[in-house]
Amino acid sequence: ELTVNYGRRSGACYLEEYGFVPPNDLDENCLVELVFGLDEKDRFFDDKADVLEQQELDMSASFDLGFGSEADPDMVQFLRLSCLKGADAFLLEPVFSNELWGFMSYPVSEENERAVGNLVLSRCRTALATLRAEEADEPSQGLGPAVISVRQGEIRALQATVSWWTRDLELLNLKQYYQERRLKELNLDKEWSPEDGQTESSFSGGRAPGNVDWS
């Protein structure tokens, strides 16, 4: 028996490249492609563009979304950078330039992670509304079964993505963010106790913090 593995692709890709669409009743066959890019109105656009350029990446990228136990790590990394702002913008300073892209592989802050989730949800819900409007107008379009199958698969993929990111937003308080990871790296994630002040150093002269004689 001879079999061919086409890899995991969206229904639209199958139809365009191979002329057929696999059954969309299987979760693994349901994918939808979404494109995300940097916002040119972002005050940090140039800094973020420099980071992507260093990685030889474009200012926008397409990702396949669908069923799965985890979000696409490449997409999340891209979106964390795209959504970086406010108190997290210090990471865009030149001193972090060689490490910043690696930092984006992990949660930066709860605010940043929430912004990423809300962005994905917004894009998915907009795409869902468009597809459902097209589906409602389906009888007048005279579409073939393959095109209808692609649309149904994309709707299922978007619904699954919305469910995943909705759950993820409910668990933000369980994630470990940059500040906490950094404190652990420096061994500063423990509460100070008076016993800790017993260790003498050339700077403290054996005094506990705050126990300084200024006379």
Side-chain angles (χ1 to χ4, degrees):
E1 180 181 354
L2 180 64
T3 61
V4 177
N5 185 349
Y6 292 91
R8 196 177 184 205
R9 302 167 183 265
S10 67
C13 182
Y14 270 105
L15 184 59
E16 180 179 357
E17 296 188 10
Y18 306 115
F20 72 95
V21 180
N24 61 25
D25 56 339
L26 298 177
D27 291 348
E28 63 184 27
N29 291 338
C30 295
L31 290 174
V32 62
E33 181 184 70
L34 290 184
V35 178
F36 295 93
L38 297 185
D39 181 0
E40 294 185 2
K41 297 180 181 179
D42 186 344
R43 59 178 293 198
F44 302 112
F45 174 83
D46 290 338
D47 298 307
K48 296 174 182 179
D50 287 342
V51 174
L52 293 176
E53 185 176 354
Q54 289 177 11
Q55 302 301 318
E56 299 183 350
L57 298 173
D58 294 331
M59 302 303 106
S60 63
S62 62
F63 302 95
D64 288 333
L65 287 72
F67 289 83
S69 58
E70 297 291 339
D72 182 342
D74 292 332
M75 180 187 75
V76 176
Q77 188 175 20
F78 183 94
L79 293 182
R80 282 176 181 145
L81 175 67
S82 177
C83 294
L84 206 62
K85 61 181 180 179
D88 299 320
F90 76 94
L91 290 171
L92 292 166
E93 294 292 334
V95 67
F96 297 110
S97 60
N98 293 329
E99 302 174 281
L100 179 56
W101 185 244
F103 289 163
M104 298 301 104
S105 296
Y106 305 95
V108 177
S109 69
E110 186 169 334
E111 292 74 18
N112 180 261
E113 206 76 350
R114 181 177 291 107
V116 169
N118 286 334
L119 175 59
V120 175
L121 286 174
S122 175
R123 292 294 305 280
C124 286
R125 286 166 177 157
T126 299
L128 268 174
T130 300
L131 289 174
R132 283 170 173 158
E134 293 175 354
E135 189 176 42
D137 195 37
E138 191 174 285
S140 64
Q141 295 177 355
L143 300 177
V147 175
I148 294 174
S149 179
V150 168
R151 180 188 294 153
Q152 291 172 342
E154 290 180 341
I155 288 175
R156 289 192 63 207
L158 287 167
Q159 290 172 332
T161 303
V162 167
S163 296
W164 192 95
W165 282 96
T166 299
R167 290 193 302 271
D168 188 71
L169 286 176
E170 295 172 352
L171 302 174
L172 294 184
N173 63 317
L174 301 180
K175 297 186 179 185
Q176 187 180 79
Y177 299 105
Y178 173 81
Q179 296 285 10
E180 184 179 355
R181 292 195 304 273
R182 185 59 176 158
L183 288 174
K184 284 190 174 183
E185 289 174 2
L186 298 174
N187 200 28
L188 296 174
D189 58 323
K190 302 175 183 177
E191 291 187 9
W192 181 86
S193 66
E195 289 75 14
D196 296 329
Q198 300 305 314
T199 302
E200 295 188 5
S201 68
S202 59
F203 175 79
S204 67
R207 300 187 184 93
N211 186 21
V212 179
D213 182 3
W214 295 103
S215 60

